[in-house]
Amino acid sequence: MAFRRDPEGSARDPFFGARLWLQTETRHGWVWAYNLEHLDLLKRFVQAQLREGIPWDDHGRKMTAVARLPAWMQQAKNREEVLRAIGRIHATVL
């Protein structure tokens, strides 16, 4: 299921159409999370210096949340920018 975007480009829930609260824009695209647990998962993945292989199921499709991240979020050259975005999102909650 694909996320819908509003005219400003922010992410919306695919079922209810509600704007996601935990999101911010970077020069590459939007960083968003459903909740603090999801945000923490993104942070740990982006911070990791060594990333293990992504598990695959029997059909060859990627099955983890981080496996479906956009390529720009996975690139080491964008690590600091993505971590700053995650920090901005986290600061809005606290």
Side-chain angles (χ1 to χ4, degrees), residues 2 4 18 20 24 28 31-32 34 42 48-49 54 57 61 63 71-73 84 86 93-94:
R4 292 182 288 175
L20 298 178
T24 191
H28 299 288
V31 176
W32 57 266
Y34 277 119
L42 294 175
Q49 297 295 322
I54 299 170
D57 70 355
R61 295 183 61 201
M63 297 304 292
W72 65 268
M73 284 184 77
R84 280 193 306 271
I86 290 171
V93 176
L94 303 176

Side-chain angles (χ1 to χ4, degrees), residues 56-94:
W56 299 79
D57 70 355
D58 294 337
H59 304 292
R61 295 183 61 201
K62 298 176 183 180
M63 297 304 292
T64 64
V66 293
R68 296 199 179 259
L69 288 176
W72 65 268
M73 284 184 77
Q74 298 181 38
Q75 295 173 340
K77 67 181 182 180
N78 298 325
R79 179 177 288 134
E80 291 304 315
E81 183 175 358
V82 175
L83 289 174
R84 280 193 306 271
I86 290 171
R88 285 195 309 268
I89 295 170
H90 197 267
T92 65
V93 176
L94 303 176

Side-chain angles (χ1 to χ4, degrees), residues 2-73:
F3 279 88
R4 292 182 288 175
R5 300 273 177 194
D6 62 23
E8 290 93 42
S10 60
R12 294 190 166 272
D13 181 89
F15 296 105
F16 303 108
R19 184 178 178 273
L20 298 178
W21 285 92
L22 303 177
Q23 63 178 304
T24 191
E25 189 173 15
T26 69
R27 63 189 171 116
H28 299 288
W30 287 84
V31 176
W32 57 266
Y34 277 119
N35 52 40
L36 289 176
E37 222 174 66
H38 186 206
L39 192 63
D40 183 54
L41 172 69
L42 294 175
K43 181 178 178 181
R44 286 185 285 123
F45 177 79
V46 172
Q47 280 180 331
Q49 297 295 322
L50 176 66
R51 298 178 184 152
E52 299 293 328
I54 299 170
W56 299 79
D57 70 355
D58 294 337
H59 304 292
R61 295 183 61 201
K62 298 176 183 180
M63 297 304 292
T64 64
V66 293
R68 296 199 179 259
L69 288 176
W72 65 268
M73 284 184 77

